[in-house]
Amino acid sequence: MTLRVLGVDPGLRVTGYAAIESAGRGLRLIEAGIVEPDPKGSLEVRLLALHRGLADAVAATQPHVVVIEELFSNYKNPLTAVMMGHARGVLCLAAAQHRVVVRSLGHSHVKRALTGSGAARKEQVKAMVTHLLGLRRAPEPDDLSDALALAVAFVNIREHEARVPGALSIVRARRRRVQ
């Protein structure tokens, strides 16, 4: 079965998106890009630009699922977390309006799914994405490579779950108990 996944790395300044297709054992890049709202615009104008940009990407790529990075907040900067929550909200809305399922992945899950280590460096993740998609060069900017990483990680996790039923739920349950 063919699975089309749209990975989204949310941001108020730059949001990366990347659609890939998984058919059998191969991955194929469909489309990738960034949405850059005017940084001088008001919050509501930037959110509207993000919504429209992702809605256009969803309409163009017709994914089966949108995978968006989980909100990560540093308690030293709660305002940043609130602002990112706004961005994630309109991005999820754009997917929901097209009746596309939305899933979230944390950055450590993405790193683990691609490199085997939740503590992998950004360069390692980028190198793995480049290799798995057969790209000639590493994707830039980082927002774009992060979106690709989300999409590829989702496919890897889903394939692992198909081979080992319940494996991901066990990992998540352990993670909850540790925290």
Side-chain angles (χ1 to χ4, degrees):
M1 178 184 144
T2 300
L3 176 67
R4 191 171 284 198
V5 179
L6 181 67
V8 180
D9 181 39
L12 278 173
R13 291 188 182 129
V14 178
T15 289
Y17 70 90
I20 65 168
E21 195 169 78
S22 169
R25 292 201 168 263
L27 295 175
R28 182 172 70 95
L29 176 62
I30 303 299
E31 179 182 327
I34 57 173
V35 179
E36 287 183 285
D38 181 354
K40 295 177 185 170
S42 63
L43 175 62
E44 56 273 15
V45 170
R46 289 185 287 159
L47 292 173
L48 179 60
L50 287 176
H51 179 271
R52 286 182 176 162
L54 191 66
D56 289 348
V58 170
T61 62
Q62 300 183 348
H64 298 107
V65 62
V66 169
V67 182
I68 190 165
E69 187 174 38
E70 283 182 357
L71 183 60
F72 173 77
S73 66
N74 184 336
Y75 293 113
K76 296 176 188 174
N77 299 310
L79 183 59
T80 301
V82 170
M83 299 302 276
M84 286 303 299
H86 290 311
R88 274 186 102 253
V90 299
L91 296 168
C92 289
L93 175 63
Q97 287 175 321
H98 285 84
R99 293 179 165 39
V100 177
V101 174
V102 177
R103 297 288 181 250
S104 295
L105 282 178
H107 67 276
S108 63
H109 283 104
V110 172
K111 291 175 180 182
R112 191 174 306 113
L114 292 175
T115 68
S117 170
R121 295 184 326 272
K122 190 171 282 285
E123 298 80 26
Q124 291 172 296
V125 172
K126 194 179 284 195
M128 189 57 82
V129 165
T130 303
H131 171 73
L132 291 172
L133 289 170
L135 304 176
R136 289 185 215 156
R137 62 180 187 277
E140 291 292 337
D142 286 345
D143 311 277
L144 184 63
S145 64
D146 291 349
L148 282 164
L150 281 157
V152 173
F154 181 82
V155 169
N156 285 352
I157 290 168
R158 186 176 168 120
E159 287 175 358
H160 180 73
E161 282 182 321
R163 288 190 306 269
V164 185
L168 186 60
S169 60
I170 292 170
V171 171
R172 286 187 179 157
R174 287 184 190 147
R175 182 171 178 262
R176 285 190 200 113
R177 286 194 298 264
V178 171
Q179 290 182 346

